[in-house]
């Protein structure tokens, strides 16, 4: 068995274990053991990948394996990883691990909740290791479908509305995506669904590329919160339970940026060069509009959700700049935002669990009552606004430096406009931290609240260590990503 298949096999074994569980202690044991195994496997893969590269292995994808599934349509279980995939697998493993502890006391239907949560994570891991169009699309769908139930059953607020809206919009994106994938397959001669082989053939006619590129980019872009198809995201985030928000914003939205880069940009470079300006304008709007929208929200989850629209917009924005620095920044931003937003949603869930409100106007003086959670919230906020030494600064600086390497007026003007989001982000983060954490507590019921429990501390500390680690020592990660970005970017140069 190929080593990469462990990332699909472990969640399958977790599903079997959960199905056999009879009490809450057994469920927790299965989740902790399974998520720890995934984290260890992701770390081992990262070390193995770096050693292979240091040993001189220059293959585009490492740890390759191919098994034919359906020969008439050339569908195969093809897996392989490069630096981008390894980074995304590591991010996914960290968030599944911390999400398990964030859901430690979840009631009711704990067993059913973790079954769907594990199925969603299996789809995510399968997507990141796939290099076959059909297999990738299959895992993409496996990752999307559990979201409906996780929000609709265990969510809060307008959960049925949010779950239905999310599902309909993402399934609409999937329809575009399926048409685009079939177009790529038949446009390339209908002989293979392997992404690397299609890229080597490089024979999709330009006229067809101009049809399939927008459909594919749009299909993945919906999940990446591309304006104006982002409206499912704030409602979905606000209604989802804590760990689902963490996995959703931290990992699931990254499938959009990863798919746009790996399939749309890589396989249809001529159309990407021709049509990128349309999507650059839309992503530029996402970046600024998301930040401005976060300023006027009063619900903690909505603030973070619109902040995610802005930060995920930056990922697509950087990918469309089509140079090595900007695309490296895009992957770093996926990592950074995944960790930051998971930390934010975890903390918001913990504060809500105690105060039973997410309304900023009803919260104040929390620093004296729950100092651990409050200090962690400040760290998350500083990472979000791009403080040097934390992951947000590294990612955003790389994106803006790379974007400015395009010398024409159009690209540089859009880069300057996108840079304004940094200032807007600082406004709403600092105002929010000042309002809810400092000053005098005005609600006497909040004075009796407790600080974080041990399981909450495990989740939060793991995420903070990762955010600080990426910010303080980014070069090993950026070098690993940069070398993997090069084959795609070199394909894009006209």
């Amino acid at each position: 068995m190929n080593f990469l298949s462990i990332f699909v096999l472990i969640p399958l074994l977790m599903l079997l274990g959960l199905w056999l569980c009879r009490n809450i202690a057994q469920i927790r044991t299965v989740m902790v053991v399974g998520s720890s195994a995934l984290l260890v496997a992701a770390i081992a893969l990262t070390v193995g990948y770096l050693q292979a590269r240091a040993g001189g292995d220059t293959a585009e994808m490492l740890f390759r394996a191919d098994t034919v599934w359906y020969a008439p349509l050339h569908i195969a279980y093809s897996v392989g990883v490069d630096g981008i995939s390894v980074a995304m697998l590591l991010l996914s493993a960290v968030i599944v691990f911390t999400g398990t502890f964030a859901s430690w006391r979840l009631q009711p239907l704990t067993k059913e909740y973790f079954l769907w949560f594990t199925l969603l994570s299996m789809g995510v891991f399968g997507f990141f290791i796939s290099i076959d169009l059909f297999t990738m699309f299959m895992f993409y769908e496996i990752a999307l479908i559990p979201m409906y139930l996780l929000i609709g059953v265990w969510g809060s607020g307008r959960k049925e509305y949010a779950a239905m809206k999310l599902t309909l919009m993402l399934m609409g994106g999937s329809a575009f995506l399926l048409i685009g994938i079939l177009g790529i397959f038949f446009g390339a001669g209908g002989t293979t669904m392997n992404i690397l082989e299609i890229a080597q053939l490089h024979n999709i006619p330009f006229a067809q590329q101009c049809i399939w590129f927008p459909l594919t980019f749009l299909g993945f872009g919906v999940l990446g919160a591309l304006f104006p198809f982002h409206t499912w995201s704030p409602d979905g985030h606000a209604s989802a339970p804590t760990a689902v928000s963490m996995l959703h914003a931290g990992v699931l939205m990254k499938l959009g940026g990863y798919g746009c880069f790996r399939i749309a940009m890589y396989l249809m470079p001529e159309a990407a060069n021709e049509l990128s300006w349309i999507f650059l304008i839309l992503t530029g709007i996402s970046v600024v509009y998301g930040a401005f929208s976060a300023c006027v929200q009063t619900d903690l989850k909505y603030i973070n959700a619109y902040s995610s629209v802005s930060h995920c917009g930056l990922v697509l924005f950087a990918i469309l700049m089509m140079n090595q620095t900007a695309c490296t920044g895009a992957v770093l931003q996926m990592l950074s935002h995944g960790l930051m937003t998971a930390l934010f949603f975890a903390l918001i869930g913990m504060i809500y669990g105690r105060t039973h409100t997410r309304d900023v106007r009803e919260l104040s003086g929390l620093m004296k009552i729950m100092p651990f959670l409050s200090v962690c919230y400040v760290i998350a906020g500083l990472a979000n606004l791009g403080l040097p030494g934390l992951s947000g600064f590294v990612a955003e600086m790389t994106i803006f430096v790379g974007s400015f390497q395009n010398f024409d007026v159009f690209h540089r003007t859009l880069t300057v406009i996108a840079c304004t989001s940094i200032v807007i982000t600082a406004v709403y983060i600092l105002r929010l931290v000042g309002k809810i954490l400092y000053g005098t507590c005005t609600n006497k019921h909040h004075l009796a609240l407790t600080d974080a429990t041990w399981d909450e501390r495990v989740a939060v500390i793991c995420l903070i260590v990762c955010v600080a680690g990426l910010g303080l020592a980014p070069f090993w990660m950026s070098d690993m990503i940069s070398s993997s970005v090069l084959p795609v970017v070199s394909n894009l140069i006209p």
Side-chain angles (χ1 to χ4, degrees):
M1 184 187 71
N2 179 266
F3 176 65
L4 295 179
S5 300
I6 287 175
F7 290 100
V8 178
L9 188 63
I10 292 174
L12 279 173
L13 291 173
M14 287 168 71
L15 287 170
L16 178 62
L18 287 167
W19 183 60
L20 296 172
C21 286
R22 291 289 173 263
N23 58 52
I24 191 81
Q26 292 174 351
I27 293 167
R28 288 172 174 172
T29 303
V30 169
M31 287 305 300
V32 170
V33 171
S35 58
S36 301
L38 283 166
L39 186 57
V40 169
I43 293 168
L45 176 67
T46 308
V47 172
Y49 179 85
L50 290 171
Q51 285 178 342
R53 288 294 190 220
D57 193 334
T58 56
E60 192 171 337
M61 291 280 181
L62 302 187
F63 309 111
R64 288 280 308 274
D66 296 278
T67 306
V68 175
W69 273 6
Y70 186 65
L73 282 179
H74 306 281
I75 294 169
Y77 174 72
S78 297
V79 295
V81 290
D82 61 2
I84 304 167
S85 316
V86 170
M88 291 295 103
L89 288 166
L90 195 57
L91 170 68
S92 306
V94 168
I95 292 177
V96 170
F97 178 76
T98 53
T100 297
F101 286 97
S103 310
W104 198 252
R105 299 168 200 275
L106 183 127
Q107 296 285 352
L109 301 172
T110 311
K111 177 176 170 178
E112 290 80 359
Y113 168 84
F114 278 120
L115 279 165
W116 288 112
F117 181 80
T118 305
L119 185 65
L120 191 156
S121 50
M122 186 181 83
V124 168
F125 283 113
F127 181 85
F128 286 133
I129 62 172
S130 296
I131 52 174
D132 178 87
L133 288 174
F134 180 85
T135 314
M136 193 178 262
F137 181 76
M138 181 190 75
F139 281 117
Y140 180 85
E141 293 301 307
I142 290 172
L144 293 188
I145 290 169
M147 285 302 301
Y148 177 78
L149 286 167
L150 285 166
I151 294 173
V153 176
W154 290 276
S156 58
R158 301 169 67 197
K159 56 186 183 181
E160 290 88 358
Y161 164 79
M164 185 58 73
K165 183 177 183 180
L166 177 147
T167 305
L168 289 175
M169 290 198 73
L170 294 185
M171 286 300 162
S174 294
F176 286 129
L177 187 55
L178 182 59
I179 297 166
I181 284 173
L182 291 173
I184 292 167
F185 171 63
F186 288 110
T191 57
T192 180
M193 282 212 178
N194 188 292
I195 293 168
L196 301 181
E197 290 172 13
I198 293 172
Q200 284 167 0
L201 288 171
H202 196 69
N203 63 346
I204 304 173
F206 177 67
Q208 286 195 36
Q209 283 192 35
C210 289
I211 300 169
W212 312 132
F213 174 79
L215 288 173
T216 310
F217 199 95
L218 196 62
F220 280 120
V222 171
L223 188 53
L226 175 69
F227 182 88
F229 306 101
H230 66 285
T231 55
W232 60 270
S233 177
D235 290 320
H237 285 139
S239 298
T242 302
V244 176
S245 291
M246 291 168 66
L247 198 59
H248 184 191
V251 181
L252 202 66
M253 290 176 78
K254 309 302 170 283
L255 269 59
Y258 182 91
C260 286
F261 186 68
R262 180 74 81 209
I263 296 178
M265 307 292 287
Y266 187 33
L267 302 184
M268 295 171 284
E270 288 84 11
N273 275 296
E274 188 71 23
L275 302 173
S276 63
W277 66 272
I278 301 168
F279 292 105
L280 263 173
I281 292 169
L282 293 178
T283 54
I285 294 170
S286 285
V287 172
V288 180
Y289 163 81
F292 270 120
S293 297
C295 284
V296 298
Q297 301 300 320
T298 56
D299 184 307
L300 286 173
K301 272 200 170 184
Y302 271 103
I303 292 169
N304 198 31
Y306 277 106
S307 172
S308 291
V309 171
S310 177
H311 284 98
C312 287
L314 267 180
V315 172
L316 298 178
F317 182 82
I319 287 168
L320 289 159
M321 286 296 174
M322 295 189 286
N323 64 56
Q324 189 176 7
T325 308
C327 290
T328 303
V331 183
L332 285 172
Q333 176 72 354
M334 285 197 259
L335 278 173
S336 169
H337 174 257
L339 296 166
M340 287 186 317
T341 201
L343 177 58
F344 253 131
F345 276 123
L347 291 166
I348 291 166
M350 291 165 196
I351 291 169
Y352 176 71
R354 289 161 170 75
T355 61
H356 304 294
T357 180
R358 295 197 303 258
D359 194 323
V360 174
R361 296 164 296 188
E362 296 175 14
L363 296 168
S364 60
L366 295 183
M367 184 64 84
K368 290 178 183 174
I369 301 159
M370 40 185 94
F372 178 83
L373 290 177
S374 299
V375 168
C376 294
Y377 199 92
V378 171
I379 294 169
L382 294 175
N384 211 353
L385 60 80
L387 184 80
L390 297 171
S391 60
F393 175 78
V394 174
E396 288 178 14
M397 275 301 295
T398 312
I399 286 173
F400 292 130
V401 168
S403 300
F404 224 72
Q405 286 176 8
N406 289 299
F407 295 110
D408 58 291
V409 175
F410 174 72
H411 284 83
R412 288 202 162 178
T413 304
L414 278 175
T415 304
V416 170
I417 293 169
C419 281
T420 60
S421 67
I422 300 171
V423 182
I424 308 162
T425 303
V427 169
Y428 68 75
I429 290 292
L430 295 175
R431 193 168 65 183
L432 178 65
V433 166
K435 174 71 183 72
I436 69 170
L437 302 183
Y438 296 100
T440 307
C441 181
T442 53
N443 188 326
K444 64 178 187 297
H445 299 296
H446 290 174
L447 294 170
L449 298 177
T450 56
D451 208 353
T453 55
W454 73 268
D455 44 286
E456 293 171 333
R457 288 172 190 256
V458 168
V460 168
I461 289 169
C462 282
L463 289 167
I464 288 176
V465 166
C466 292
V467 166
L470 186 58
L472 293 169
F475 291 112
W476 69 273
M477 181 63 79
S478 67
D479 289 347
M480 180 175 82
I481 292 164
S482 185
S483 59
S484 299
V485 159
L486 194 57
V488 182
V489 173
S490 57
N491 224 21
L492 289 166
I493 297 168

